[in-house]
Amino acid sequence: MAGTDRGIRTVEDVLVLLDGLFAPGADRWTEGGADWWDGFYADRDRPVPFFVPKPDENLVSYADRGLLQGGGRALDLGCGPGRNSLHLASLGYRVDAVDLSATAVRWAEERAREAGATGVRFRRSDAFAPGTVEGPYDLVYDSGCFHHLPPHRRVSYLALLDRVLAPGGTFALTAFAAGEGGMGSERDDADFYRAGALEGGLAYTDTDLRAVFADLTPLEVRRMRAEPVESPRFGASFLWTALFRREP
């Protein structure tokens, strides 16, 4: 008789077990999803809105209004081709930029060389793996990573913030917005496990985001402003933008 698997001992064991409930090829959040993201970023001419070399309009707005300190350490989660990483570096941050995709990281490094940017370290890695990133960070920025995580991996996400975000530091993200004009799936959390897929990502309401990050103080939660093609900023109304502060 084959041995019975009774290997669940830790929270991480449970999270890995839940990862396995998704269909093969559905993974976009662990090392197993790296090949999918490499394929996503392989064709740089695809009409993907956020392939443009422009920072998020909300990120520019935070700095313009004095909501970011600048000059400290910043972590860019799921940095992609590095458009927000380079903007953070221009604000004086020392930036660690992490993405699962080696293709995206190579593209980001090329952009950094072309811009003559310094102060950014790009890494192809899983930010949630132990020892990948070491805080404290004065700013953690996420433009489009969070909404690609299955519900159970919010536990990993919150643990990462708790570990690396400095007291008094700020955390900001953009995420698919639920409702009219939004993107992403609005299924209940449990339905994703029945379906075995995330259907392109999870959509959130502003109330959802405030609840998930309830341990942080919300400074601003709003729809991202759409930006015209000629704008030096990226903006799309199908996203929420949210800015939180960790109390000292």
Side-chain angles (χ1 to χ4, degrees), residues 103-150:
T103 303
V105 166
R106 285 194 295 271
W107 189 1
E109 290 173 336
E110 288 176 23
R111 282 181 168 177
R113 286 193 296 270
E114 291 168 1
T118 59
V120 187
R121 179 176 64 164
F122 292 103
R123 297 180 62 185
R124 197 235 55 91
S125 188
D126 177 1
F128 304 100
T132 300
V133 293
E134 298 292 340
Y137 291 101
D138 302 287
L139 170 66
V140 175
Y141 191 68
D142 170 357
S143 186
C145 173
F146 177 70
H147 57 222
H148 287 296
L149 300 179

Side-chain angles (χ1 to χ4, degrees), residues 47 51 53 104 119 164 176 198 226 243:
F51 278 11
V164 305
F176 287 149
L198 297 185
L243 180 67

Side-chain angles (χ1 to χ4, degrees), residues 44-106:
R44 300 182 184 184
D45 295 325
R46 292 174 60 206
V48 177
F50 53 85
F51 278 11
V52 295
K54 305 175 182 180
D56 290 337
E57 66 82 10
N58 55 297
L59 183 59
V60 175
S61 174
Y62 300 151
D64 288 348
R65 289 181 286 152
L67 297 175
L68 301 180
Q69 300 301 315
R73 296 185 69 208
L75 173 65
D76 187 2
L77 287 172
C79 66
R83 58 194 182 83
N84 290 306
S85 306
L86 297 182
H87 185 70
L88 289 170
S90 77
L91 297 175
Y93 283 101
R94 302 182 305 281
V95 184
D96 288 335
V98 180
D99 201 283
L100 282 175
S101 170
T103 303
V105 166
R106 285 194 295 271

Side-chain angles (χ1 to χ4, degrees), residues 10-29:
T10 68
V11 171
E12 184 61 23
D13 291 337
V14 174
L15 298 178
V16 171
L17 175 69
L18 292 172
D19 287 340
L21 296 182
F22 287 85
D27 184 358
R28 304 287 183 272
W29 59 92

